[in-house]
Amino acid sequence: MNTTIDSAVPRTVTRVIKGMPATDGAGVELTRVIGQPAMPMLDPFLLLDAFRSDKPEDYIAGFPPHPHRGFETVTYMLAGSMRHKDNAGHEGVIGPGGIQWMTAGKGIVHSEMPEQEDGLLEGFQLWINLPAEHKMDAPRYQEHAANLIPLETRDDGTQVRVITGTTSQGTTGPVSQPLTEPLYLDIHMAAGQTFTESIPETHNAFIYVIEGPVTANTIEDQTVQLHRDDLGILSTGENLTISANDNAVRFLLVAGKPLNEPVARGGPFVMNTREEVQQAFEDYKSGGF
Ligand code: FE
């Protein structure tokens, strides 16, 4: 029991999940963390892929032109670079520490190709759903290189890169999405530190461990250790507390407002009904993107 007078409801880890190996694009080896049998989705999050390899054969084929409709794709690079290009003439490179927040809306056709022939390529792609009334919005991008993402340094040395949302200490990330009010933080902690952050109480939220182990609380008032590449699903609540014990750690903290709408998936299209997915395939085939 929480015996302090602090009435904030703690966020606890309700499940720890490992991603599963997957191949996507033209043969990119990755780990599917959300969007797999053990965690089909965490509303509004439809998919989380993690990629990390220094073997070119794992990533060199990239993701040749393919369509999207009805949601957002968020690419966050930790190491290496990806070149992005779409059928509306938008092109750019996402470098280490950079973010690309693409609102596919009614549709784009794009390619995502490694901008390197060797070396480490590491990062994440997260898919975030859009509500029914915004699925057919015009596509748009929010792109920010590493130096444009604020780094909050706390009194104990903990460093928080703020991609979107506002931290309890008032740092706001450059990406804005009022439809799902996402929080996307990349947190570095030194050994022996404890990190506490508030999260909107009813948002769905998870942590993903990049360097572990981290220690989190469970509902039974126990603690659990999450290791590298573990996904930790969080309960609802207001405050999350994470500790680093014997080593420095790094993890993502991501939260978003659930949409609570029906989800119809068809590969690169995520709509509310099967008919809408069918329409997306027809629009794509007839060159309507
Ligand atoms: Fe894509």
Side-chain angles (χ1 to χ4, degrees), residues 82-226:
M82 294 283 278
R83 176 172 292 274
H84 169 266
K85 200 177 202 174
D86 78 8
N87 62 334
H90 186 97
E91 181 169 1
V93 173
I94 314 165
I99 187 94
Q100 183 201 58
W101 197 289
M102 183 184 85
T103 306
K106 67 183 177 189
I108 60 120
V109 179
H110 76 160
S111 60
E112 303 157 277
M113 303 298 289
E115 185 80 348
Q116 62 194 54
E117 288 171 1
D118 50 32
L120 179 64
L121 189 79
E122 181 177 13
F124 298 94
Q125 188 168 90
L126 178 69
W127 290 11
I128 308 179
N129 208 358
L130 288 168
E133 59 186 15
H134 290 279
K135 282 185 176 293
M136 296 298 280
D137 284 359
R140 72 167 179 147
Y141 293 91
Q142 299 181 76
E143 286 171 310
H144 302 279
N147 63 339
L148 297 175
I149 296 174
L151 180 65
E152 174 183 290
T153 302
R154 300 193 171 184
D155 291 344
D156 63 4
T158 294
Q159 294 196 311
V160 183
R161 299 192 77 216
V162 185
I163 293 163
T164 184
T166 299
T167 69
S168 53
Q169 303 207 352
T171 308
T172 297
V175 172
S176 154
Q177 180 43 284
L179 300 173
T180 43
E181 300 167 11
L183 179 71
Y184 195 137
L185 308 178
D186 177 0
I187 297 142
H188 287 78
M189 295 165 65
Q193 300 299 345
T194 296
F195 167 85
T196 300
E197 186 53 73
S198 59
I199 302 170
E201 191 172 0
T202 56
H203 274 29
N204 281 329
F206 64 84
I207 60 171
Y208 188 85
V209 180
I210 299 168
E211 294 295 338
V214 306
T215 302
N217 298 313
T218 66
I219 191 73
E220 299 85 6
D221 226 7
Q222 309 282 313
T223 59
V224 60
Q225 283 208 328
L226 288 85

